[in-house]
Amino acid sequence: MENSTLRISQQAANQSDDRDVNLYPDIFSQYSADAYNKAIDQAKTLVLQFLRKQTKPFSGITPAALGQQFQHVDLNVPLANYDSLFAEVDRLYVSHATAFHLPHYIAHLNCPVVIPALAAELLISAINSSQDTYDQSAGGTLMERRLIEWTANQIGFGKEADGVFTAGGSQSNLMGLLLARDHFTLKRYGHSIKLDGNPMVAHRFRVFVSEKAHFSNQKNAWLLGLGEQAVVEVATDTRFRMRLDALDKAIQAELAMGNIPIAVVATAGTTDFGNVDPLEGIAQLAQQYSIWMHVDAAYGCGLLLTDQYRHLINGIELAHSVTIDYHKSFFQPISSSAFIVREKERLQIIKHHADYLNPAEQDYEEYPAQINKSITQSTRRFDALKLWFTLRLMGRAKLGEYMEAIIDTAQRAAQYIGSDSDFELLCESDISILVFRYAPAQVQEAQYCALNQYVKKKLFHAGEVLVASTKVQGKFYLKFTIFNPLTTNSDIRDMLNKIKSYGAGFFQ
Ligand SMILES: *Cc1c(COP(=O)(O)O)cnc(C)c1O
């Protein structure tokens, strides 16, 4: 963007009324520096107040009560100053924001975020580089490339690997399936889906995932014009990991029906149980049937950082492509994710030349352009800077220690739950998710679902403990996602006790 178009005249900058002045986009002009500092300082104050004063993970407010507060907001009439603005945002948003940094938030895959990444966020949005081309982000392009290279190296990929930062795991999974489909079709039929669309035979394409794989697989099959019907759910073992014999059988069965297996998506860290599919065995079958193997390590990617638990994700290096969510087990703020391929050649297909952005005659190695690897984003945040700050200041080992801490806490929590006769633990977790239910002996099995639903809702509106839930074979279970390295054993025991005491209310 042409900077001068944003620059305001000194006259305009000096004009003042009773509003906060100099609220112009060019925050680094001398006229606006004060306004910038003031705004950021007030934002920081509100953040610190949230982080320090919040004692419960949620206020417990209902949508109806919160909705009431919005009735008096007129978006056509701006507020007088930052004080009024921050007060409004505090009332409508911050004071009811879910506090992922508190140990009693134990619901979804939301991590507490590390401080260096927060400092990076200031630079990212203020400088506002766009990661599509070198002329919009010179150092940013090279930093992103180095981080991709580093991540590929952690995976165990060689020099031929490449990738791109994405908005999230769902999008990275989409890229995996897209490349799988298009390469298969080119190789098998000499047909370019990119140019000519799905061939008639595409309705027979099949993608294999476990029953516990992320729902983005279904959505992505739909987006790619294969339909959800293309996704074959493979049976799982007692820890809800894909069974190799079942995968083999499922592939055979589809072949026998005249259908065409194109890919298998292995999950490294299931959203419901935190367990890792048998990656090495899946890789063998993928090779045997000549199909693409994508590893969805959105959650399990943190295992790459720990020497103690790295073995749990062995085999990931055999994949054709991998999804990494730094905004999960690398403790980064949303969004921060990557799609990595073993052979960079595979990404070529994504390249699309636009004369105004990345003309064909441009030399890519001289002027690298990440746009050539991005499917759905052109203008794209420099999210990679957060990981850069984190790695350069904290280092891989520290992140790995966090990962080890949550795994250790989850193992102890599993012991508590498993050894308490009032609870029923469904299975152990490779990482940090425990699915269980409150099931005291004096209560009839038929009442367990209603009892646990009651407990979850009561806890939510009391705001004291936020747990997630899931269904397994039609039955309702509570779910602990342990994602905070500071969560202690006594936090876990306290939460279990709260479940019991709220549960007692069910019978009154
Ligand atoms: C969270 C998650 C995803 C989706 O990632 P987003 O970043 O939320 O889009 C995909 N797969 C698994 C296993 C996940 O846990």
Side-chain angles (χ1 to χ4, degrees):
M1 205 179 292
E2 184 66 35
N3 212 27
S4 62
T5 61
L6 296 178
R7 206 166 289 283
I8 47 151
S9 70
Q10 180 160 5
Q11 193 188 10
N14 287 341
Q15 276 171 5
S16 87
D17 51 25
D18 55 354
R19 293 179 167 283
D20 279 335
V21 291
N22 302 339
L23 309 178
Y24 299 93
D26 184 5
I27 59 172
F28 295 113
S29 79
Q30 57 176 316
Y31 316 113
S32 301
D34 286 349
Y36 174 71
N37 283 326
K38 187 174 174 210
I40 299 296
D41 282 347
Q42 278 190 260
K44 258 165 49 186
T45 304
L46 187 54
V47 168
L48 288 174
Q49 182 186 314
F50 173 73
L51 294 176
R52 286 191 186 133
K53 290 204 187 140
Q54 207 82 351
T55 54
K56 302 190 300 180
F58 183 46
S59 71
I61 196 164
T62 61
L66 190 53
Q68 276 287 332
Q69 308 256 3
F70 280 77
Q71 280 183 352
H72 311 291
V73 176
D74 183 350
L75 291 178
N76 289 316
V77 182
L79 296 165
N81 49 41
Y82 275 118
D83 290 343
S84 317
L85 173 60
F86 279 106
E88 179 181 272
V89 169
D90 188 18
R91 188 164 43 83
L92 297 178
Y93 166 59
V94 179
S95 55
H96 305 294
T98 310
F100 298 148
H101 64 288
L102 294 177
H104 285 57
Y105 177 80
I106 196 159
H108 302 286
L109 280 164
N110 305 106
C111 57
V113 292
V114 294
I115 293 170
L118 298 180
E121 283 281 9
L122 277 187
L123 272 73
I124 292 167
S125 53
I127 298 177
N128 205 27
S129 298
S130 180
Q131 290 295 85
D132 23 6
T133 50
Y134 188 83
D135 68 341
Q136 296 174 82
S137 185
T141 299
L142 300 188
M143 279 175 158
E144 177 169 331
R145 288 190 147 204
R146 278 294 288 274
L147 289 167
I148 290 288
E149 201 182 298
W150 175 84
T151 307
N153 202 261
Q154 299 300 309
I155 291 170
F157 284 165
K159 282 209 169 6
E160 284 308 301
D162 199 0
V164 66
F165 271 63
T166 68
S170 304
Q171 193 183 14
S172 299
N173 283 347
L174 175 63
M175 293 186 73
L177 208 52
L178 170 80
L179 294 192
R181 182 198 64 172
D182 286 35
H183 280 285
F184 178 86
T185 315
L186 261 182
K187 204 167 119 195
R188 171 76 71 93
Y189 306 105
H191 176 101
S192 165
I193 294 184
K194 187 180 186 187
L195 298 178
D196 300 324
N198 273 323
M200 293 293 278
V201 70
H203 75 279
R204 292 194 171 277
F205 289 175
R206 292 295 177 268
V207 176
F208 300 82
V209 307
S210 92
E211 293 166 337
K212 293 298 168 193
H214 194 259
F215 70 90
S216 55
N217 292 300
Q218 274 81 3
K219 274 201 178 176
N220 293 338
W222 160 52
L223 286 169
L224 292 173
L226 306 177
E228 290 188 9
Q229 57 102 33
V231 180
V232 179
E233 293 190 356
V234 177
T236 52
D237 66 10
T238 53
R239 282 176 68 159
F240 303 95
R241 296 169 298 204
M242 188 187 280
R243 271 177 34 205
L244 292 174
D245 62 324
L247 173 60
D248 197 9
K249 273 207 193 94
I251 294 174
Q252 296 271 2
E254 293 299 327
L255 285 169
M257 285 186 280
N259 292 328
I260 305 161
I262 61 166
V264 56
V265 178
T267 311
T270 50
T271 317
D272 257 0
F273 297 95
N275 285 325
V276 180
D277 285 342
L279 303 180
E280 283 165 343
I282 292 171
Q284 247 171 29
L285 286 169
Q287 193 183 19
Q288 183 183 325
Y289 290 102
S290 300
I291 61 177
W292 185 283
M293 176 184 179
H294 177 75
V295 173
D296 177 359
Y299 168 31
C301 54
L303 293 169
L304 297 171
L305 305 173
T306 133
D307 298 334
Q308 192 182 345
Y309 295 111
R310 172 63 169 79
H311 64 95
L312 291 171
I313 204 167
N314 282 354
I316 189 172
E317 69 284 354
L318 302 170
H320 293 86
S321 57
V322 174
T323 289
I324 301 280
D325 262 2
Y326 307 110
H327 62 214
K328 285 182 179 159
S329 51
F330 281 57
F331 306 96
Q332 297 295 298
I334 305 160
S335 289
S336 187
S337 181
F339 172 73
I340 317 266
V341 282
R342 181 156 40 115
E343 299 163 35
K344 64 162 83 98
E345 194 54 35
R346 309 273 186 161
L347 280 172
Q348 286 288 336
I349 199 165
I350 295 172
K351 203 182 278 182
H352 185 100
H353 296 296
D355 290 337
Y356 49 81
L357 194 61
N358 56 341
E361 66 275 15
Q362 198 167 77
D363 179 336
Y364 290 107
E365 286 323 304
E366 193 180 350
Y367 293 106
Q370 292 296 88
I371 182 75
N372 293 325
K373 305 168 205 168
S374 173
I375 47 167
T376 53
Q377 291 171 288
S378 308
T379 308
R380 188 164 55 87
R381 274 170 61 86
F382 181 23
D383 283 313
L385 188 63
K386 292 178 282 193
L387 183 61
W388 188 276
F389 264 62
T390 305
L391 283 180
R392 299 302 288 149
L393 197 73
M394 297 174 64
R396 168 190 182 272
K398 192 77 197 162
L399 289 177
E401 279 172 32
Y402 286 0
M403 193 66 186
E404 284 160 17
I406 64 170
I407 294 174
D408 294 346
T409 307
Q411 286 175 358
R412 257 165 302 155
Q415 280 165 14
Y416 296 148
I417 299 170
S419 61
D420 186 329
S421 57
D422 283 347
F423 291 112
E424 208 180 274
L425 178 67
L426 211 50
C427 76
E428 306 273 327
S429 180
D430 286 335
I431 312 175
S432 63
I433 296 182
L434 299 171
V435 175
F436 65 100
R437 59 185 183 172
Y438 179 47
Q442 66 272 26
V443 181
Q444 301 284 320
E445 156 90 38
Q447 284 188 292
Y448 284 161
C449 288
L451 169 62
N452 283 275
Q453 277 163 343
Y454 170 89
V455 169
K456 185 189 170 199
K457 194 164 176 184
K458 284 286 169 190
L459 287 171
F460 180 74
H461 285 297
E464 288 193 54
V465 180
L466 258 59
V467 295
S469 59
T470 190
K471 279 191 184 153
V472 179
Q473 276 149 12
K475 291 179 187 162
F476 185 89
Y477 285 85
L478 301 177
K479 186 164 104 172
F480 272 2
T481 303
I482 298 165
F483 227 172
N484 189 334
L486 300 178
T487 301
T488 62
N489 297 346
S490 83
D491 289 326
I492 299 285
R493 282 196 297 264
D494 183 52
M495 287 185 271
L496 292 172
N497 285 334
K498 285 211 166 78
I499 289 173
K500 288 186 187 184
S501 59
Y502 278 91
F506 182 70
F507 304 100
Q508 280 155 17

